[in-house]
Amino acid sequence: MEAQKPEIYGMLAEFTTPTEIVAAANKAREAGFSKMEAYSPFPVEDLYEAVGFKRTKLPILVFFGGLAGFFTAFSLQTFTMGGAPSFLNPFLPDWFYYPLNIGGRPLNSWPAFVPPEFELAVLFSAFTAVFGMLLLNGYPRLYHPLFNVPRFSGVTTDRFFLCIEARDPLFDIQGTRHFLEGLKPFEVSEVPQ
Amino acid sequence: MSMITPEVREKVDKVQSFALIAGVIGLLVTGGLIAVQPKETLQSYLISFLYFFSFSLGSLALLMIQHVAGGVWGFAMRRLLEAGARCLLLLAILFLPILLLGLKEIYVWADHEIAQKDHIIELKSGYLNVPFFTARYFIFFGIWSFLALALSKLSKQEDETAEARIGFWFKALSGPGIMAFAITGGLASVDWAMSVDVHWYSTMYPVLFCFGTILSAMIFHIVAMILLYQGPDLEKHLTKNHLRDVGSFFLGFIIFWAYLTFSQYLLIWAANLKEEVPYFLNRSEGGWQLVAISLGLGHFLLPFLVLLTRDAKRIKGNLLKVACFMLFMRFVDYFFLLGPSFSPKHFAFPIGQLTSLVGIGGLWLGCFLWQWKSMPPIPVRDPRILQQPIHGV
């Protein structure tokens, strides 16, 4: 079922100013390309919209991360104080129950449980935000085909790159190269896989 | 050329005269009710007063904060904040019924006979006595009115002369002004609200009260911006990103309110001292517990979850709905602050509550709109007008 991997990763156009790359990305999007990515040495406003950046699933993940943290702290405190539902009893070890009498307060003292619930909700959502962001961005990743283009190292100093990837349905080597050259870039290069 | 479109101006004029008429009628009915059942009506009057007072004092606080902190959010909101702060002069007058008629009806310590029999009140009488209370009323409103009028006057000068040193004076006045707000606002909360439960005290109370005014004002001005900023000249100062900024403030403030409210409860619950717990015992029976739960759900959980989503903050209609709902919940919060102290363990909503709300609210809203129209709605000489984001670098 696996499709034959294309020989090349995509077609890379190099620009020298942020204004040019925003205009180029807009034109590429209007021409119907959807699988493209822009690379710049610093954040460029409007570039997100220009490359057709879709909203990520990260906020939803973070929400459920926070919820998981909340319920972890809630269950830990309630269950150790003896509040576990009875159908769980066969599965819980003896040492799991550790009811504490604190100044004669009831075992199920929900107000006292709130601060740890809040803390864990914040901790878990922060972890989800950081690690989820890395995973959704495709990290950890040690190699990227773009490194095959020597001129791409300029992206860390003063060059802006627009790459139309080979997995784009409209991609064909001659046509895309021709299209990118029409955008008046500094240079267009093929990116080998 | 006016920035306000004729349609908006016409509507504002209509709402203003309607509010003023409703306010006068409301106050007259409240006055009649004071003659019939003075205690309940004056107590309700205090709650209504504090609710609308929070919009004005919070406006003053936010006005000073945005002068010191900068930011485009404060630039667009500035004239609304100034108008809200100037209404403090009206509120100084509206406090007079409490001062002249209501002290003995509302505050136990103001009654000499009771005060002499109660050892705790006797010990507090060095601070809680009628002459000193009256003097503090003058000091508080003196400081607030001075700040509100001085900042408005500078604003007017800025419009006329556009001198750069006025920006310095804004900051020079606002920095100490914020300190004065924290001290006077905290003391006013002790005077007007906390001393109703004369034996009880909480160190979290003044913080919660001062912050509550800021929260009220932020919500009110979000509603005001969305409704009033129409037409090309004003709409460009209320973009989606701008709405997201004030929406984020809104969300953060709600979380902080929940944090403060819950901290006060948790500490008193955990310490379990007999001087402190009656405050919450009065609020956990006879219907009041339902009000408490509705605050937890409606004043925190619901708006928190809704405002987490991006569209609730960026789309005018959505943010307006949340903010209007929260304006109602702010009233529930003020009602819960004092209602159970006046009627412990037994829910009560006197008719005077409704009439005083209409009375004070009508006059306040009318005054606010009148003041808002008296200045250009955008401070065009504020250097922040140039801080528009530059796209594509």
Side-chain angles (χ1 to χ4, degrees), chain A residues 1-23:
Chain A
M1 287 297 284
E2 179 107 358
Q4 186 88 46
K5 264 200 168 176
E7 302 268 300
I8 68 165
Y9 174 77
M11 200 63 78
L12 189 68
E14 179 179 345
F15 297 90
T16 48
T17 67
T19 321
E20 279 175 1
I21 195 171
V22 172

Side-chain angles (χ1 to χ4, degrees), chain A residues 45-46 55 105 109 111 114-115, chain B residues 262 266 269-270 305 310 391-392:
Chain A
E45 256 186 277
D46 288 352
R55 284 174 60 182
R105 285 180 190 78
S109 292
V114 170
Chain B
F262 185 76
L266 180 66
W269 177 87
L305 291 178
R310 206 166 104 114
H391 291 278

Side-chain angles (χ1 to χ4, degrees), chain B residues 51-52 54-56 58-59 62 77 79-81 83-85 87 212-228 250 253 320 322-324 326-328 330 361 364-369 372:
Chain B
Y51 177 55
F52 286 102
S54 74
F55 296 127
S56 270
S59 298
L62 276 176
M77 217 183 236
R79 285 288 144 88
L80 289 165
L81 295 172
C87 290
T213 63
I214 294 179
L215 173 60
S216 292
M218 181 53 99
I219 300 170
F220 177 82
H221 291 301
I222 287 176
V223 174
M225 277 207 294
I226 295 176
L227 292 179
L228 294 174
F250 187 6
F253 286 3
L320 182 66
V322 186
C324 286
M326 279 304 295
L327 279 183
F328 169 70
R330 284 306 294 151
W364 188 87
L365 186 65
C367 178
F368 170 78
L369 291 174
W372 180 69

Side-chain angles (χ1 to χ4, degrees), chain A residues 18-19 22 42-46 55 63 103 105-106 109-115 118, chain B residues 241 255 259 262 265-266 269-272 304-305 308-311 389-393:
Chain A
T19 321
V22 172
F42 51 82
V44 178
E45 256 186 277
D46 288 352
R55 284 174 60 182
F63 177 76
R105 285 180 190 78
S109 292
W110 70 267
F113 296 170
V114 170
F118 171 73
Chain B
N241 287 332
I255 298 172
Y259 168 79
F262 185 76
Y265 174 68
L266 180 66
W269 177 87
N272 201 19
F304 169 73
L305 291 178
L308 276 182
T309 62
R310 206 166 104 114
D311 286 346
I390 302 159
H391 291 278
V393 180

Side-chain angles (χ1 to χ4, degrees), chain B residues 14 34 44 103 138 150 170 176 203 231 233-234 245 255 258 261 289 306 319 343 357-358 387:
Chain B
K14 241 184 227 167
I34 289 176
S44 309
L103 284 185
F138 282 109
F170 274 134
T203 47
D233 288 335
L234 287 177
D245 284 353
I255 298 172
T261 312
Q289 75 275 36
V306 171
L319 193 62
S343 161
L357 211 54
V358 173
Q387 285 180 12

